[in-house]
Amino acid sequence: MKQPPLAAKDASLFRQVLKFYETKQYKKGLKAAEQILRKNPKHGETLAMKALIINCLGRSDEAFTIAKDAIKQDMQSHVCWHVYGLLWRSIKNFDEAIKAYKFALRFEPDSQQILRDLAYLQVQMKDYAGYVESRRLILQGRPQLRANWTGLAIAQHLNGNYAEAESILTKFEGTLKKAPPKGTPEYIEHSEAGLYKNMVIYEAGDIERALEHLDTIQKLTLDKLSILESRAKYLSLLGRWEEAEKSYDVLVDRNPDKRGYYIELERCWAKGEEITGAKRAQFQEKYAKLTEKYPRADAPKRVPLDFLEGDAFKAAADNYLKGLLRREVPSTFANVKALYADPAKRTVIPELVHDFLLSLEGENTEANGSTPKTLVWTWYFLAQHYDHHRTRDTKKALEYINKALEASPTLVELQMTLARIHKHMGDVAGAMDIMNKARESDLKDRFINTKCAKYQLRNNCNEEALKTMSLFTRNEANGGPLGDLLEMQCVWYLTEDAEAYYRQKKVGLALKRYQAIWKIFEDWTEDQFDFHSFSLRKGQIRAYIDMIRWENTLRSHPFFTRAAIGAVKTYLLLAEKPHLAHGTLANGGDGEVDFDSLSTADRKKALKKAKREAQKQQEKEAAERAAKKDDKKIANEDAPKKEDDDPVGQKLAQTTEPLVDAMKFVNALVEYSPLLLKVQNIAFEVYLRRKKHLLALKSLLAAHKLSPEDATVHENIIRFKKSLDAPGSEVLPAEATEIVNSEFYTNILPSKDADLVAFNEQYLKKHKDCPEKLRGALRARFLIDQSSTPKIETSVVESAKKDADKYTIDDVAQSLALLQLVKASDKAVGELKEAVKGRWQNAGWVVAGF
């Protein structure tokens, strides 16, 4: 039974509670609610508002208890159920929030606010069928608002009902007697609605009608560029090549540097036929005309270099490079380095630049219209050329960059390139110092500042990097510079910071940063809520649809993938070495205990001591935080700041189930980036360690399909087979055994009785000249036969001696790690270091040890 209404005075006070809540004056709102409850202690709606306000003050558990009591007191109040839904939404339990909203609608089916909140949750949860129904009810309640019509059209569009979406937009257009006046917000909304309708028609597959519709909305549309681009695209899709070419000519005239227009122009010139290298070469004359027409544009000069060959390429590249170098364009090398994928072009380009350099050095530069600066930028180009990974020769790179620096010692670009060369030489510390010197030459340049911080992190100097970043952060923010970087969602810094801590085996801080990145991506997903209403209110529908689709693939972003893989690696390290959860036992630190070298008894003593020290440190930090909180004067008492009770990630590191915790990241990786080999490989690692054989097989099959000859995949095949055959391993159910037999022993191994030694030796023989695959086969050999260490030592050292000039820093590190894995002799390790020392003499960590 519904509760009776409040007395007039209390009802007025209740309205004030609502006002205080809406204006975020939570303390005043709570005081007013308690004043009502003193007279009416069982008033459900007041209890609900009290719960809502308390939740905003950060007391979530207490808020839920009061909200449940409110529902108990007034089961038929839509306010109580609505508030209960808002509480669930605040802790991101959207399913429960939707249930609560639906209960609220039983008692107030026409409430626009509840319907809107329900609709926003449904679109957030991708429940497009439910979203359609909620939007239909909202439209029935207030059909006079255009936003409600557009909202229903969007719902139908997202649900795949293109005809319905178009029909709804058309019906509203029929209610308009005339277009809104120009210059008004309504006119902008009307213009966007027309383009959105055209987008719906196009996505429905009716390209001819979409083209016709463009003609009807052209005069009323403000976004003329979208009209032109859509027209050109539709004409191209319809095969009307001459008209499409004219349309793209208009677009090129507007923006002659947009390469996408030239790609489409080539399709028009080819009349839709397959564009081969020979056919593209015929386009050279057309590009020559475009170059004459747009002499200042880069694209018509640069695009032909992609398809020209032989003498034609040499002549075009010579003109292009000389033009940029004479104009002293710093990005000249960046413009052409994509051509280095072609070995012939990779050879021609430096020859042309060397010839140009000789002409500059041998003649009077002033007479040729050049200046000494042209020489500097030519040396700069050659330094970058010899530092490129396809043409790396760091000695020559240093020679040219030092020449450039002698002429222009204060040029920041030159100093940065010198730092990059040292980094590629393995001299990470030297690269950091050079980059810091470059930063000091221009303290107002944020870009060079962040570059310096990145190099400091690569050298594991986390504190120095944070100090460098603090020069451009709000240091008065809660948490200082790091707090501001978290608030600004500076993902690149957090990722580099986490990786640096991982390299130092500081797993707590590494996990803390990775969890912060996870939260940032969650916040981006949560931020959609603001746009569900904002985009409709402002009429920016196409941008809203693009945002929805972008959010659907958000966790496939390279930054998320990199961070998630890093987090999984950290959890794997923690599972392998649980003592790393205690900072004083981390290996390799200055003055720290080398846990792996201790006896069993000493390990127990060290672990107990580390736990006691960690407990004392936690108590000390908790006391310091409490003291700061007491002394601190809170400027805005209604918006308390949440204190971080685990600033260095100790609680994260002290998990008892690191592999279970890693599954949060693994599941996201497998769902959003299944086509990445490294994702499937690391998922396999976690599944296998958790004895989830079917899931491990699924990842192994996916990885094998992506790259059957990959070294890690080959090693994992043998690991999986060994795990199945291991004595005492869990017997798989009949269905699982059948899947293993039909998939693993058919698609990967020839039979259940396959000889792993022969299988591995065959792979080793096939890939003996590839250092990476050789190491994979040698790791597999050690897995099969633990006594094969001498043979592995010989293979590793011989490979390093034979291919020393080709060995990268990663090759050296992985080779050293392999020798460490097989417990190789000091002699073998020394021979390996000696073999690569000439190439990596500046890489101190290689020379000193691993």
Side-chain angles (χ1 to χ4, degrees), residues 740-804:
V740 170
N741 290 337
S742 63
E743 296 292 341
F744 183 63
Y745 292 124
T746 303
N747 298 328
I748 297 180
L749 285 180
S751 69
K752 190 174 182 179
D753 300 322
D755 185 350
L756 291 181
V757 174
F759 177 76
N760 186 56
E761 292 303 316
Q762 183 182 1
Y763 180 87
L764 179 60
K765 185 178 180 181
K766 185 177 179 181
H767 300 291
K768 62 182 179 180
D769 295 326
C770 175
E772 181 185 0
K773 293 177 181 177
L774 173 68
R775 289 191 297 270
L778 293 177
R779 283 192 295 268
R781 177 188 281 176
F782 185 72
L783 187 65
I784 297 167
D785 180 8
Q786 300 283 314
S787 65
S788 60
T789 296
K791 291 182 179 179
I792 293 173
E793 290 177 350
T794 303
S795 296
V796 170
V797 172
E798 285 181 354
S799 173
K801 288 179 178 178
K802 184 179 72 172
D803 298 320

Side-chain angles (χ1 to χ4, degrees), residues 516-671:
I517 295 169
W518 176 276
K519 185 179 181 301
I520 286 171
F521 277 84
E522 279 198 328
D523 289 343
W524 288 344
T525 303
E526 180 79 8
D527 287 345
Q528 285 183 87
F529 275 115
D530 297 331
F531 292 95
H532 295 322
S533 58
F534 173 84
S535 299
L536 279 175
R537 197 165 62 247
K538 296 295 184 181
Q540 303 299 317
I541 312 307
R542 291 177 300 151
Y544 173 67
I545 295 293
D546 289 342
M547 183 207 72
I548 292 286
R549 291 171 176 170
W550 175 76
E551 289 279 4
N552 291 343
T553 59
L554 175 61
R555 284 183 171 82
S556 64
H557 193 281
F559 265 129
F560 179 83
T561 304
R562 178 180 169 186
I565 289 175
V568 176
K569 285 181 178 178
T570 308
Y571 279 118
L572 287 170
L573 178 64
L574 197 53
E576 187 179 336
K577 299 181 178 181
H579 64 273
L580 291 177
H582 308 285
T584 56
L585 294 181
N587 287 328
D590 295 335
E592 294 175 345
V593 179
D594 187 355
F595 190 81
D596 291 336
S597 66
L598 299 177
S599 64
T600 304
D602 289 338
R603 285 185 182 187
K604 289 181 179 179
K605 290 180 182 177
L607 195 58
K608 286 182 180 179
K609 181 181 178 182
K611 286 181 178 179
R612 286 196 303 270
E613 290 178 358
Q615 181 74 20
K616 289 179 182 178
Q617 184 66 22
Q618 286 179 350
E619 291 173 358
K620 181 181 177 181
E621 290 174 354
E624 288 176 355
R625 287 197 299 272
K628 284 181 181 179
K629 193 173 181 181
D630 292 338
D631 296 340
K632 198 173 184 180
K633 294 181 180 180
I634 301 175
N636 184 2
E637 62 177 5
D638 287 347
K641 293 178 180 177
K642 188 176 180 180
E643 294 291 331
D644 187 352
D645 60 349
D646 188 25
V648 295
Q650 285 183 337
K651 292 180 181 178
L652 290 170
Q654 290 170 8
T655 174
T656 56
E657 296 183 314
L659 295 180
V660 175
D661 293 347
M663 287 306 300
K664 176 174 75 171
F665 294 94
V666 171
N667 291 336
L669 285 169
V670 172
E671 181 180 357

Side-chain angles (χ1 to χ4, degrees), residues 263-282:
I263 293 170
E264 293 301 325
L265 266 177
E266 287 185 15
R267 290 185 68 241
C268 296
W269 295 336
K271 309 295 183 186
E273 297 177 8
E274 184 181 356
I275 303 176
T276 61
K279 186 176 284 293
R280 287 193 81 186
Q282 298 172 9

Side-chain angles (χ1 to χ4, degrees), residues 233-482:
K233 179 171 69 173
Y234 298 161
L235 289 168
S236 179
L237 290 170
L238 291 169
R240 292 157 63 172
W241 304 113
E242 292 182 1
E243 295 174 76
E245 182 181 346
K246 291 178 181 177
S247 295
Y248 279 114
D249 283 339
V250 173
L251 287 166
V252 168
D253 196 54
R254 288 174 62 101
N255 184 1
D257 273 313
K258 185 167 181 178
R259 293 195 60 166
Y261 295 156
Y262 295 94
I263 293 170
E264 293 301 325
L265 266 177
E266 287 185 15
R267 290 185 68 241
C268 296
W269 295 336
K271 309 295 183 186
E273 297 177 8
E274 184 181 356
I275 303 176
T276 61
K279 186 176 284 293
R280 287 193 81 186
Q282 298 172 9
F283 301 155
Q284 187 177 3
E285 283 188 24
K286 294 182 180 291
Y287 276 108
K289 291 179 180 178
L290 288 169
T291 301
E292 289 180 16
K293 188 174 182 181
Y294 309 109
R296 299 183 65 181
D298 180 77
K301 303 185 190 78
R302 171 62 184 81
V303 173
L305 299 182
D306 290 334
F307 59 80
L308 291 175
E309 303 286 347
D311 293 338
F313 170 78
K314 189 172 184 178
D318 191 40
N319 289 332
Y320 182 73
L321 290 168
K322 284 180 179 177
L324 293 180
L325 290 172
R326 287 191 186 281
R327 298 206 321 267
E328 301 165 11
V329 177
S331 61
T332 302
F333 183 77
N335 288 8
V336 299
K337 68 179 179 180
L339 299 170
Y340 278 41
D342 185 326
K345 294 178 181 179
R346 194 162 66 228
T347 304
V348 170
I349 289 172
E351 289 177 356
L352 294 172
V353 178
H354 275 294
D355 289 344
F356 180 64
L357 179 62
L358 288 173
S359 69
L360 288 176
E361 291 175 337
E363 299 176 13
N364 186 332
T365 55
E366 294 296 335
N368 289 329
S370 303
T371 66
K373 280 286 184 182
T374 307
L375 268 174
V376 171
W377 293 113
T378 307
W379 288 325
Y380 176 62
F381 180 98
L382 289 170
Q384 290 176 294
H385 163 78
Y386 287 114
D387 190 46
H388 190 265
H389 69 95
R390 296 183 189 274
T391 54
R392 186 156 294 157
D393 185 337
T394 51
K395 289 183 180 178
K396 287 188 176 180
L398 279 176
E399 177 188 338
Y400 285 110
I401 200 64
N402 285 331
K403 282 184 178 181
L405 280 166
E406 284 177 15
S408 297
T410 60
L411 207 56
V412 173
E413 288 88 347
L414 303 181
Q415 296 172 13
M416 290 172 65
T417 301
L418 178 63
R420 191 179 303 114
I421 293 169
H422 276 266
K423 180 185 73 172
H424 293 153
M425 291 168 61
D427 184 13
V428 183
M432 179 190 74
D433 292 338
I434 295 166
M435 191 64 78
N436 190 53
K437 183 180 176 182
R439 178 190 67 81
E440 290 172 348
S441 68
D442 189 354
L443 296 174
K444 295 182 180 180
D445 189 330
R446 182 191 289 264
F447 174 77
I448 185 65
N449 192 80
T450 55
K451 265 290 183 185
C452 180
K454 182 178 178 180
Y455 273 58
Q456 288 169 331
L457 289 171
R458 292 288 174 90
N459 197 39
N460 299 336
C461 298
N462 301 73
E463 295 300 324
E464 290 89 335
L466 185 60
K467 185 178 179 181
T468 300
M469 292 296 292
S470 70
L471 298 173
F472 285 89
T473 59
R474 291 187 304 110
N475 300 329
E476 70 278 5
N478 186 33
L482 181 60

Side-chain angles (χ1 to χ4, degrees), residues 812-814 816-818 820 829 833 845-850:
V812 177
Q814 292 299 323
L816 285 167
L818 175 56
Q820 187 181 55
V829 174
K833 290 179 181 178
W845 60 273
V846 173
V847 179
F850 181 73

